[in-house]
């Protein structure tokens, strides 16, 4: 559909009829919902009907769910006001009861690491002034969907965070606390007239077991990252779900002893009770995440559409296989074999999937490492499965972002 003003000249008559009148509004709406945002902005200039349709709440809601994810804590509340108030009261009552139980017993301690004698170093900040997390997950009922679309595109997660990590095994019985830094390496601010580019991030952290570098790619309020440890030959893939008030939940899977777990990220300090009250719901969803991982079993074909070609000989097509025998991780994590002669590490959260792989090329004296980090959403229909989303590729100091599509070839 062209976004120019369409005019129809009737034979033998100088009158001109607006092209929008040739179809009823509901049919134009069905056309508009497949358009990109830049095209919608141009269509608003055609006529009054097109302006009203392109500005409708339902259309912007569909665009948010299409271009980002199906559901998000950043989306406006779609509940009727009375029902929303009732649900909020029930949630508050549940929080009060949960708070009473948590005050009685928190199953973990928070530690900063281990000393030279392998004794745990407790977190000495307990008892300080902490943030108020009341209604931290409450949705904004006054925000509209057009504002939400712009907000999702401009979410900026840059900052210094405190990270609380829990390993879902007996390897490390307590929660480990350490800092991480995320530096936003995003393109220019979004403009309605241009198609948005994926946002990628770089960062670093200092865990008790070593320093690591972060490479990640964003989709809505989710951030998929891979950690590379310089002194250790293993990687860790993680999915962050960022919420308002500078809080993010995380799930991760690692090549280190095939471990996995969950965590919490915050820009401000929190008590042990607050940390566990936010981490506990994540721990209760472990079985659901494993069920999602089972939906990924099969042979997949990946195609990349990169914004630039500044990285030489970058692979844009390859296959990977996720099999039942390869799923050695809880929490929806997986390790897959690829046609690139390397394994791929991944983790899923609901319908959101994060996976990464590293290719090592060249001779021993001049090895070349290329990192791929993907974040996408699983789309299922009766006949096929797809994962679509964003990808970032790093080759030494060069970084390039783009889109990708993975199609299930056979189960």
């Amino acid at each position: 559909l062209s976004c120019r003003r369409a005019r129809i000249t009737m034979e033998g008559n100088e009158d001109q009829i607006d092209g929008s009148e040739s179809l009823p509004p509901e049919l134009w709406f069905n056309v508009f919902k497949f358009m990109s945002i830049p095209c919608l902005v141009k269509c608003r200039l055609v006529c009054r009907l097109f302006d009203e349709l392109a500005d409708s709440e339902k259309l912007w809601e569909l665009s948010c769910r299409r271009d980002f994810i199906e559901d998000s804590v950043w989306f406006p509340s779609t509940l009727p006001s009375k029902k929303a108030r009732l649900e909020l009261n029930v949630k508050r009552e549940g929080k009060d009861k949960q708070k009473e139980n948590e005050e009685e017993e928190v199953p973990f301690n928070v530690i900063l690491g281990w000393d030279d004698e392998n004794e745990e170093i407790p977190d000495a900040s307990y008892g300080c002034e902490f943030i108020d997390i009341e209604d931290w997950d409450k949705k904004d009922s006054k925000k509209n969907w057009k504002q939400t679309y712009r907000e999702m595109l401009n979410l900026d997660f840059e900052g210094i965070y405190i990270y609380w990590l829990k390993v879902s095994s007996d390897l490390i019985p307590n929660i480990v606390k350490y800092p991480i830094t995320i530096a936003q390496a995003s393109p220019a601010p979004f403009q309605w007239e241009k198609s948005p580019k994926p946002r990628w991030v770089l960062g670093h952290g200092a865990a008790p077991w070593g320093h690591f570098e972060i490479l990640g790619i964003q989709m809505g309020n989710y951030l998929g990252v891979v950690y590379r440890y310089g002194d250790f030959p293993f990687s860790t893939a993680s999915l962050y779900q960022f919420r308002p008030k500078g809080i993010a939940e995380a799930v991760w899977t690692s090549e280190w002893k095939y471990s996995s777990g969950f965590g919490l990220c915050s820009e401000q300090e929190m008590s042990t009770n607050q940390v566990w009250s936010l981490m506990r719901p994540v721990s209760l969803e472990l079985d659901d995440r494993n069920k999602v991982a089972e939906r990924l079993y099969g042979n997949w074909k990946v195609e990349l559409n990169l914004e630039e070609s500044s990285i030489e000989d970058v692979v844009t097509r390859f296959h990977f296989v996720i099999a039942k025998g390869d799923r050695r991780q809880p929490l929806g994590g997986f390790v897959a074999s690829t046609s690139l002669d390397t394994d791929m590490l991944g983790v899923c959260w609901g319908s959101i999937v994060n996976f990464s792989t590293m290719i090592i090329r060249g001779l021993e004296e001049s090895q070349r490492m290329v990192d791929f980090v993907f974040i996408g959403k699983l789309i299922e229909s009766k006949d096929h499965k797809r994962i679509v989303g964003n990808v970032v590729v790093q080759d030494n100091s060069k970084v390039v972002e783009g889109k990708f599509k993975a199609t299930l070839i056979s189960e």
Side-chain angles (χ1 to χ4, degrees):
L1 176 71
S2 172
C3 291
R4 297 176 302 174
R5 179 178 294 274
R7 308 295 263 183
I8 302 175
T9 304
M10 304 300 293
E11 236 179 77
N13 192 340
E14 293 184 356
D15 292 339
Q16 293 182 326
I17 302 174
D18 195 327
S20 64
E21 297 177 1
S22 61
L23 289 176
E26 55 270 21
L27 291 184
W28 280 118
F29 181 87
N30 287 331
V31 174
F32 277 28
K33 70 181 182 181
F34 293 105
M35 288 185 183
S36 65
I37 297 302
C39 193
L40 279 179
V41 172
K42 293 178 181 178
C43 282
R44 294 190 61 179
L45 305 176
V46 174
C47 62
R48 183 176 298 177
L49 173 62
F50 282 15
D51 180 56
E52 293 175 356
L53 288 174
D55 205 36
S56 68
E57 277 287 279
K58 185 60 178 176
L59 188 62
W60 282 98
E61 178 183 353
L62 291 173
S63 298
C64 282
R65 299 186 188 277
R66 177 197 64 198
D67 294 348
F68 303 111
I69 56 179
E70 294 299 322
D71 193 19
S72 170
V73 294
W74 294 82
F75 287 173
S77 173
T78 56
L79 297 172
S81 57
K82 183 177 181 180
K83 185 179 180 182
R85 288 197 301 270
L86 291 174
E87 288 202 359
L88 182 59
N89 291 334
V90 171
K91 186 178 292 187
R92 283 176 175 169
E93 291 175 3
K95 283 184 178 180
D96 293 339
K97 292 179 181 179
Q98 185 178 352
K99 186 175 180 181
E100 293 176 3
N101 295 334
E102 287 161 359
E103 289 177 350
E104 293 176 3
E105 181 181 5
V106 177
F108 305 107
N109 295 319
V110 176
I111 63 173
L112 302 179
W114 300 266
D115 58 22
D116 295 338
E117 298 179 356
N118 206 29
E119 294 292 331
E120 292 182 345
I121 303 174
D123 178 18
S125 63
Y126 188 87
C128 301
E129 293 294 326
F130 301 105
I131 63 171
D132 181 12
I133 59 171
E134 183 69 21
D135 297 335
W136 69 285
D137 57 348
K138 181 182 177 182
K139 290 188 176 184
D140 188 355
S141 59
K142 297 181 180 179
K143 184 170 58 176
N144 64 43
W145 284 98
K146 186 177 179 180
Q147 292 172 335
T148 301
Y149 194 97
R150 182 191 289 271
E151 183 181 49
M152 296 290 283
L153 285 168
N154 290 307
L155 285 180
D156 188 347
F157 303 141
E158 182 175 359
I160 300 175
Y161 295 87
I162 304 169
Y163 187 72
W164 292 268
L165 175 143
K166 180 68 184 77
V167 180
S168 58
S169 70
D170 296 330
L171 294 172
I172 303 176
N174 289 313
I175 296 174
V176 183
K177 173 183 172 184
Y178 55 87
I180 64 171
T181 299
I182 297 177
Q184 193 81 33
S186 60
F190 171 72
Q191 298 177 1
W192 292 114
E193 296 80 11
K194 297 181 180 180
S195 297
K197 292 184 178 180
R199 287 171 169 256
W200 54 274
V201 302
L202 295 173
H204 57 87
W209 42 84
H211 292 266
F212 56 86
E213 300 294 326
I214 295 175
L215 174 66
I217 186 73
Q218 181 179 339
M219 187 173 70
N221 64 304
Y222 280 84
L223 181 66
V225 303
V226 61
Y227 309 141
R228 301 292 189 203
Y229 290 84
D231 299 331
F232 298 94
F234 65 84
S235 299
T236 299
S238 183
L239 254 179
Y240 291 87
Q241 179 185 203
F242 280 85
R243 295 176 176 269
K245 298 191 177 182
I247 297 175
E249 303 155 301
V251 291
W252 58 271
T253 185
S254 177
E255 294 173 330
W256 177 67
K257 296 186 178 181
Y258 306 129
S259 60
S260 65
F262 49 95
L264 185 72
C265 211
S266 175
E267 293 181 320
Q268 301 186 56
E269 185 64 84
M270 286 193 287
S271 69
T272 304
N273 283 34
Q274 287 177 316
V275 169
W276 181 238
S277 69
L278 300 181
M279 291 176 68
R280 187 170 179 270
V282 181
S283 70
L284 297 177
E285 299 174 3
L286 307 188
D287 292 338
D288 292 337
R289 294 207 176 91
N290 287 332
K291 292 176 182 177
V292 174
E294 293 174 0
R295 288 152 52 190
L296 300 176
Y297 294 157
N299 184 11
W300 295 79
K301 178 180 71 174
V302 181
E303 298 179 13
L304 279 62
N305 182 15
L306 301 178
E307 296 290 336
E308 303 173 14
S309 56
S310 58
I311 299 179
E312 297 179 0
D313 303 326
V314 64
V315 177
T316 57
R317 289 183 176 85
F318 64 91
H319 292 75
F320 66 92
V321 178
I322 305 175
K324 291 184 178 180
D326 291 337
R327 188 175 66 85
R328 296 168 288 183
Q329 316 278 352
L331 280 172
F334 58 86
V335 177
S337 59
T338 76
S339 59
L340 305 174
D341 297 326
T342 181
D343 284 342
M344 187 169 64
L345 192 65
V347 65
C348 56
W349 188 332
S351 62
I352 309 299
V353 183
N354 164 235
F355 54 94
S356 63
T357 188
M358 179 174 63
I359 308 172
I360 301 178
R361 292 178 174 175
L363 302 175
E364 292 183 1
E365 59 270 15
S366 59
Q367 285 187 341
R368 175 190 174 202
M369 294 184 294
V370 183
D371 281 309
F372 293 80
V373 182
F374 303 82
I375 183 171
K377 55 182 177 181
L378 176 64
I379 301 175
E380 297 181 274
S381 66
K382 184 178 180 181
D383 300 324
H384 64 276
K385 293 181 183 179
R386 292 179 298 140
I387 303 174
V388 296
N390 302 331
V391 60
V392 61
V393 183
Q394 183 180 35
D395 180 6
N396 296 325
S397 60
K398 297 179 180 177
V399 180
V400 59
E401 72 278 347
K403 301 284 186 178
F404 82 93
K405 177 178 68 173
T407 307
L408 183 65
I409 301 174
S410 60
E411 296 185 355

